[in-house]
Amino acid sequence: MALITAYWGLDGMIILMTLIITAYLYMTRKFKYWKKRGILEITPIPFFGNFKECLLQKKAPAYFLKDIYDEMKDLPYVGFYVLDKPFLLVRNRELVKNILVKDFSYFSDRYNTADPIDRIGYANLFFIRNPAWKVIRTKLTPFFTSGKMKKMFDLMLICVKNLDEYLDALELEGNGKTIEVRELTAKFATDIIGSTAYGLDVNSFKDPNAEFRKYGKMIFQYDTYRAFEMLAIFFLPTLVRLTRIKMFGKEPTDFMRKVFWETLTQRMKSGLKRNDLVDILLELKNNNNDNDLKDFTFDGDDLLAQAASFFSAGFETSSTTTTFALYELAMQPEIQNALRKEIFEALEKSNGKITYDMVWSLPYLDMVMSETLRMYPPLGYINRMANQTYKVPEFNLVIEKGTPCYISMLGLHYDPEYFPNPNKFDPERFNEENKRNRPSCVYFPFGEGPHACIGNRFGLLQTKLTLLKILSKCEVTLCKETLVPVVIDPKGAMTVPLDEFDGDVLTAQAVTFFSAGFDTSAGLIVFTLYELALHLDIQNTLRKEIHQALNNSDGKITYDVIMSLPYMDMVVSETLRKYPPLGFLNRKTMETYQIPNFNLVLEKDTPVYIPMLALHYDPEYFPNPEKFDPERFNEENKRNMPSCVYFPFGDGPHACIGNRFALLLIKLALIKMLNKYEVTPCEKTMIPMIIDPALSLTGPLNSVIYLNMRKANTD
Ligand code: HEM
C-alpha cells in the first residue's frame, strides 16, 4: 500500500503533477496584472514571462527592451513580465522625464540591487539605495569638479605617453598591422583609472601581465554562468539574495581589496595628497558626520565598494565606447578624415601639445563621440523602482509601490522619429542646429536626472583623449578579421562587441556572416565579370574610367577613388538587378493588417513574400529585362525610376545592414582585377547563364563560371 493509491508509481505521478500544477499556478498568478489595469501587456509564457530569450542568453537585455520599444510604436508604456514579476517599459519621453527628473522623489532608487552580504556590490553607488545613496553621491561628487579633472588630466597625459610609446613600438608604417582594438583601448583605460582613482602607475602596455588589466578583464569576461549572474543582478534581485550572487568574482574582489587597503594605508602614513579617489575616500573614512546611516559604514568593504565601482565602471565603458568609435571610423573613412583634419589643425596650433582645453574644444570630435554613444551606449537601458505609489499625470496609469520601471535608451536612440535612418552612423545629427532642434529626453547615454552617471565628464574626457591620441598617429581601416556588421554579445549586461564565436547561437551567427559576407559579394563579383566578358564595350568603358581615376590618384586606391566612379556604380547596380543574391524578401504580419486602398486584410502571422526578381525583370520598369544594360542606372534613368521596384539589398528597417560594405568590397575587387586584366568568354563559359535551382542564393549552375583572363592593355 502506497501513500495515496495502491501503487508507488501512481503516487509518484500524482505528487509530481501536483508540484507542477502548483508551480504553474504560482508562476502565473500575477499574469494579466497589466491587462486588468487596462494597460497593454506582452503575452507572457509560464515560468519565463517574456524573458525567455534573455534567460537562454540569445538576446542581450538591452536589445530585448529595444525590441519591445520598437514593436509598441505609439504606446506610451507597455507591461511585460520577468519570470512572474510585472515590469513596466516606459516609452513616452514626457513620462521618461517625469520618472528620471521631475518626480525623482518617487523613483529615487534603481530596481537592481546586490545581496546585502556582498558589501562591495551592495554598497557601491550604482546599487545602494536611499538614504545612503544621497549621502555617498554628495560626498563623491567633488571627485569630478573641473579643478580636479584638470589635475587628473595631467595624470592621464602620463598614460598617453605609455600609449604613444606602445604605438611607436608597433611600427605601423606602410601597410600597418592588424590590432585587437578593444584590448588596446582597455589597457589604456585601465592605466588611466588605475592612476586617477588608485594613484598607481599600472602601465599595462609595458607589462602584459599587469594585474589591474588581468582582474579588470575577469570582471567583464562572461561565461554562461557569470552572464546569468549579471542578468539576475539587473533584473532578478530576489534571486540574487537567495542564491548569494556576488557582484564581482572572488579573485577580482581579493585583488581590489588588497590594492585599495595597501594604498590607503600608505597614504595615511605618508600624508601625501594626490587629488585622486583614494584621497576622497580617506577623507570620508576620517571625517564623516553621518554615523546614523543604517545601510552604510564609512569603512571596510563599504569604502572599497566605491573604488571598485569607479574601477569597473571607469574602464569598461570608456574602452568599449572608443572601440566602437574606431570601428565606425574605419567603416567610414570620409568621417575619419574629417576628424583627423580637425585633430591635426588643433595640434598644429598648440605645437603638438595635447591640452585639457583642446580635448573639449573640438566640435567634430564631440559629434563623433555623441553619435558613437547614440548607437552603442554602454548601458542600453535605465531602470528605476517606484518607492511609493505614483499616479502618472495626464495618463490613466497608477504605478504601484515596488514596480520596476525600465526605459529603453537604445529604443529611443534608434527611434526614427528622433533619429531618421537610425542605423546610419552620422555625426551630423549632433551639429549645433540638430542638437537644438531635438526634443529632450530622447538621447541620454549617461542617464538623466540625479541618478545620472557621476563619471560623465570623466568618461568623455577619457574617450575623447584616447581617440584624439590614436587618430593623431594612426589611420584605422577594416581588416579581414573585422566583424562586419558588428555583433553585440548577447551575454553582455553592457553593450559590448562579441569577442569570439562559441555555442550554437554564435555558430549560426558565424555561418550567416560567412555566407552573407562571402557568397553574396563574391557571387556578385563573378556575375559582373561574366557580363563584362560578354559585353566587351561595357568592360572597356569601365576600365577606362578606372585607369583615369587611378592616374589622378597616382595609382593609389582610396575610399574616395572607389566611390567616385559613376560608371562602376552603374555596372554593379545592373548586375544587382539581374542577379540579386536573394531573389525575394519575406516578412510576417505582427498583427492583423488592413492593406490601405485594397480590399484585403492580412491576419496576424501571415507570411508575406515579395518577389524581388520579378520586379527587377518587370518590362514595365526595366524594358528588355534580359539585356545587361548599365545605362538603366544613369542619373536620369535613376531619377525617373519609380520607387520600390529595385531593391537588391531589401528596403526599410530590415534592409541589409552590410549594404555599403558589400558595395565597397565588390567595387574594390573589380578595380583590382579590371585595372590589369581583361575577361572574355571561353569554351566552357555557360551562355546563357543558368541559375542553379538547388541554391538558396542566386548562383550559377554548379557554382562555377569559367572565363578567360589575360593582361589588359594599360594605355
Ligand atoms: C563613456 C563612459 C560612460 C558611460 C556612457 C556611462 C553611462 C552610465 C549610465 C547610463 C549610468 C546610469 C544612469 C542612470 O541610471 O540614469 C551610469 C551610472 C554610473 N556611472 Fe557611468 N558611464 C560612463 C563612465 C563612467 C566612469 C568613467 C565612471 C567612474 C569613474 C562611472 C561611474 C558611474 C557610477 C558610480 C554610476 C552610478 C551613479 C548613481 O547612481 O548615482 N561611469 N553610467
Side-chain angles (χ1 to χ4, degrees):
M1 181 73 184
L3 280 176
I4 310 168
T5 66
Y7 306 101
W8 281 109
L10 196 56
D11 275 16
M13 288 277 283
I14 292 172
I15 292 169
L16 186 68
M17 286 306 289
T18 313
L19 285 177
I20 293 175
I21 292 169
T22 313
Y24 173 88
L25 290 174
Y26 181 79
M27 292 303 286
T28 55
R29 74 200 182 286
K30 294 185 192 152
F31 287 4
K32 300 212 172 110
Y33 173 91
W34 295 113
K35 215 171 179 175
K36 281 182 203 151
R37 286 160 179 75
I39 292 158
L40 192 130
E41 64 176 41
I42 305 177
T43 311
I45 53 171
F47 300 103
F48 291 104
N50 304 107
F51 213 48
K52 188 172 163 194
E53 283 184 294
C54 293
L55 289 169
L56 298 181
Q57 297 178 11
K58 291 189 173 169
K59 199 183 269 186
Y63 287 82
F64 159 72
L65 295 169
K66 176 181 184 293
D67 287 350
I68 303 183
Y69 180 96
D70 290 348
E71 277 164 32
M72 296 297 150
K73 274 199 179 64
D74 304 328
L75 284 184
Y77 34 75
V78 55
F80 67 100
Y81 296 84
V82 172
L83 310 190
D84 61 327
K85 173 116 183 135
F87 280 52
L88 188 72
L89 181 93
V90 180
R91 288 189 81 261
N92 176 280
R93 60 181 194 84
E94 286 303 328
L95 191 46
V96 168
K97 200 189 232 169
N98 283 2
I99 290 177
L100 297 182
V101 189
K102 282 192 191 157
D103 291 319
F104 178 75
S105 58
Y106 288 82
F107 299 95
S108 55
D109 289 325
R110 293 200 175 87
Y111 177 65
N112 57 218
T113 175
D115 177 13
I117 308 268
D118 167 29
R119 296 308 301 178
I120 299 184
Y122 184 81
N124 88 45
L125 191 62
F126 193 90
F127 290 97
I128 197 150
R129 293 188 172 168
N130 278 293
W133 169 78
K134 192 160 184 235
V135 176
I136 304 167
R137 172 102 189 189
T138 313
K139 303 264 186 197
L140 291 181
T141 299
F143 180 61
F144 297 102
T145 59
S146 294
K148 280 257 165 48
M149 296 255 292
K150 273 190 186 161
K151 289 205 172 108
M152 278 189 273
F153 188 73
D154 293 338
L155 299 174
M156 288 185 188
L157 285 180
I158 298 174
C159 306
V160 168
K161 204 166 148 264
N162 297 338
L163 171 65
D164 215 8
E165 284 168 7
Y166 179 74
L167 288 173
D168 283 344
L170 285 177
E171 295 177 359
L172 299 172
E173 292 79 12
N175 288 336
K177 284 186 181 150
T178 299
I179 290 176
E180 213 287 81
V181 177
R182 192 158 166 232
E183 184 57 26
L184 180 91
T185 56
K187 277 185 173 152
F188 185 53
T190 308
D191 282 8
I192 288 185
I193 208 76
S195 169
T196 50
Y198 286 79
L200 296 174
D201 177 14
V202 178
N203 200 349
S204 29
F205 288 113
K206 265 208 189 108
D207 176 7
N209 300 318
E211 287 191 309
F212 256 92
R213 177 67 197 124
K214 180 173 146 196
Y215 292 108
K217 211 173 184 173
M218 259 184 214
I219 296 174
F220 290 98
Q221 226 162 31
Y222 298 152
D223 56 16
T224 307
Y225 184 67
R226 183 75 188 133
F228 179 75
E229 288 188 336
M230 290 310 283
L231 200 64
I233 285 173
F234 279 91
F235 288 87
L236 303 160
T238 318
L239 196 72
V240 173
R241 282 168 207 228
L242 286 176
T243 54
R244 298 265 173 268
I245 288 173
K246 300 256 177 307
M247 179 64 209
F248 304 105
K250 183 176 172 343
E251 284 177 77
T253 304
D254 289 347
F255 167 73
M256 285 186 289
R257 196 177 277 132
K258 178 174 144 275
V259 174
F260 178 69
W261 288 112
E262 272 175 14
T263 317
L264 205 80
T265 315
Q266 245 175 29
R267 206 63 72 83
M268 280 195 288
K269 274 191 202 149
S270 67
L272 191 85
K273 281 243 172 277
R274 212 171 164 270
N275 288 309
D276 55 17
L277 183 69
V278 175
D279 279 356
I280 291 194
L281 295 177
L282 191 59
E283 161 86 12
L284 269 184
K285 180 173 153 50
N286 294 335
N287 307 314
N288 82 81
N289 311 313
D290 299 279
N291 291 327
D292 56 340
L293 278 179
K294 276 191 233 84
D295 224 9
F296 188 82
T297 53
F298 289 88
D299 210 338
D301 274 356
D302 285 13
L303 218 49
L304 167 63
Q306 312 318 318
S309 72
F310 277 33
F311 173 54
S312 52
F315 87 84
E316 180 72 358
T317 48
S318 303
S319 86
T320 49
T321 305
T322 328
T323 304
F324 281 124
L326 288 170
Y327 166 79
E328 286 294 345
L329 293 173
M331 292 276 287
Q332 305 216 44
E334 71 281 24
I335 297 180
Q336 184 178 167
N337 288 342
L339 178 54
R340 296 187 78 215
K341 192 164 167 257
E342 182 182 73
I343 292 173
F344 288 143
E345 281 170 9
L347 285 172
E348 208 173 287
K349 271 192 209 142
S350 71
N351 292 328
K353 222 177 133 200
I354 301 178
T355 64
Y356 179 82
D357 293 333
M358 175 199 288
V359 178
W360 292 119
S361 74
L362 304 180
Y364 200 63
L365 178 60
D366 193 65
M367 286 157 65
V368 168
M369 270 344 296
S370 301
E371 177 66 345
T372 306
L373 285 165
R374 179 189 71 80
M375 286 188 74
Y376 309 102
L379 200 65
Y381 57 92
I382 288 184
N383 77 86
R384 299 286 188 267
M385 182 185 65
N387 55 29
Q388 46 188 306
T389 297
Y390 176 68
K391 161 87 188 81
V392 183
E394 287 161 40
F395 287 95
N396 188 16
L397 169 68
V398 173
I399 301 178
E400 281 188 297
K401 183 176 174 188
T403 307
C405 298
Y406 280 64
I407 294 156
S408 173
M409 188 194 287
L410 266 181
L412 285 154
H413 284 195
Y414 278 78
D415 190 331
E417 188 182 338
Y418 312 123
F419 301 98
N421 198 359
N423 289 317
K424 183 175 172 205
F425 182 84
D426 180 8
E428 287 305 322
R429 300 179 201 275
F430 291 91
N431 65 29
E432 283 309 316
E433 193 190 335
N434 287 337
K435 269 198 296 191
R436 236 190 342 267
N437 294 334
R438 185 163 303 128
S440 65
C441 273
V442 298
Y443 173 75
F444 39 79
F446 293 98
E448 191 71 88
H451 252 306
C453 176
I454 195 173
N456 168 343
R457 283 165 53 78
F458 182 92
L460 270 180
L461 185 67
Q462 190 176 350
T463 41
K464 286 183 175 184
L465 177 64
T466 317
L467 213 55
L468 196 157
K469 183 71 231 175
I470 293 179
L471 292 178
S472 72
K473 286 186 87 107
C474 315
E475 182 185 325
V476 282
T477 51
L478 300 176
C479 63
K480 66 177 186 327
E481 288 86 355
T482 314
L483 200 57
V484 180
V486 74
V487 184
I488 302 299
D489 191 343
K491 293 209 284 286
M494 296 218 204
T495 311
V496 290
L498 192 61
D499 256 354
E500 53 198 335
F501 292 117
D502 60 359
D504 281 354
V505 199
L506 307 175
T507 313
Q509 222 32 295
V511 172
T512 315
F513 289 126
F514 185 70
S515 56
F518 173 78
D519 277 356
T520 50
S521 305
L524 277 162
I525 295 163
V526 179
F527 277 126
T528 316
L529 290 174
Y530 170 81
E531 288 290 350
L532 292 177
L534 297 190
H535 299 91
L536 271 180
D537 51 335
I538 298 178
Q539 185 178 160
N540 288 338
T541 312
L542 179 56
R543 187 173 297 104
K544 205 168 152 212
E545 182 182 68
I546 294 172
H547 284 173
Q548 270 170 4
L550 290 180
N551 273 345
N552 293 342
S553 71
D554 294 331
K556 240 179 116 183
I557 305 179
T558 62
Y559 178 83
D560 291 335
V561 168
I562 300 174
M563 287 307 174
S564 69
L565 307 175
Y567 199 67
M568 169 71 88
D569 199 66
M570 288 157 63
V571 168
V572 174
S573 299
E574 176 65 348
T575 310
L576 279 161
R577 180 190 69 81
K578 280 196 79 176
Y579 309 100
L582 198 66
F584 59 89
L585 302 179
N586 78 82
R587 301 285 189 272
K588 186 182 75 167
T589 44
M590 306 303 292
E591 52 194 272
T592 303
Y593 177 65
Q594 156 73 61
I595 302 190
N597 305 333
F598 286 90
N599 187 16
L600 174 62
V601 174
L602 295 177
E603 278 185 279
K604 184 168 183 248
D605 291 335
T606 308
V608 178
Y609 280 67
I610 295 154
M612 182 198 296
L613 203 63
L615 282 158
H616 284 195
Y617 277 75
D618 189 330
E620 187 183 338
Y621 312 123
F622 301 100
N624 197 0
E626 296 296 337
K627 185 177 172 201
F628 183 82
D629 180 7
E631 288 305 324
R632 300 180 201 275
F633 292 91
N634 66 28
E635 282 309 316
E636 192 190 336
N637 287 338
K638 267 200 297 191
R639 238 190 339 267
N640 295 333
M641 195 179 292
S643 66
C644 278
V645 297
Y646 171 76
F647 38 79
F649 291 101
D651 215 335
H654 262 303
C656 171
I657 195 172
N659 156 352
R660 288 157 54 85
F661 182 72
L663 284 176
L664 195 65
L665 200 85
I666 295 164
K667 291 178 180 177
L668 175 65
L670 289 172
I671 293 177
K672 275 281 188 198
M673 285 185 199
L674 295 172
N675 180 31
K676 288 207 176 140
Y677 300 100
E678 185 183 81
V679 278
T680 48
C682 63
E683 281 164 28
K684 287 164 86 178
T685 308
M686 181 165 37
I687 304 176
M689 171 63 60
I690 303 174
I691 300 300
D692 195 332
L695 298 177
S696 50
L697 293 178
T698 310
L701 195 62
N702 302 325
S703 300
V704 284
I705 296 181
Y706 291 99
L707 291 174
N708 197 22
M709 241 172 143
R710 65 159 186 238
K711 270 231 174 255
N713 186 350
T714 45
D715 294 339

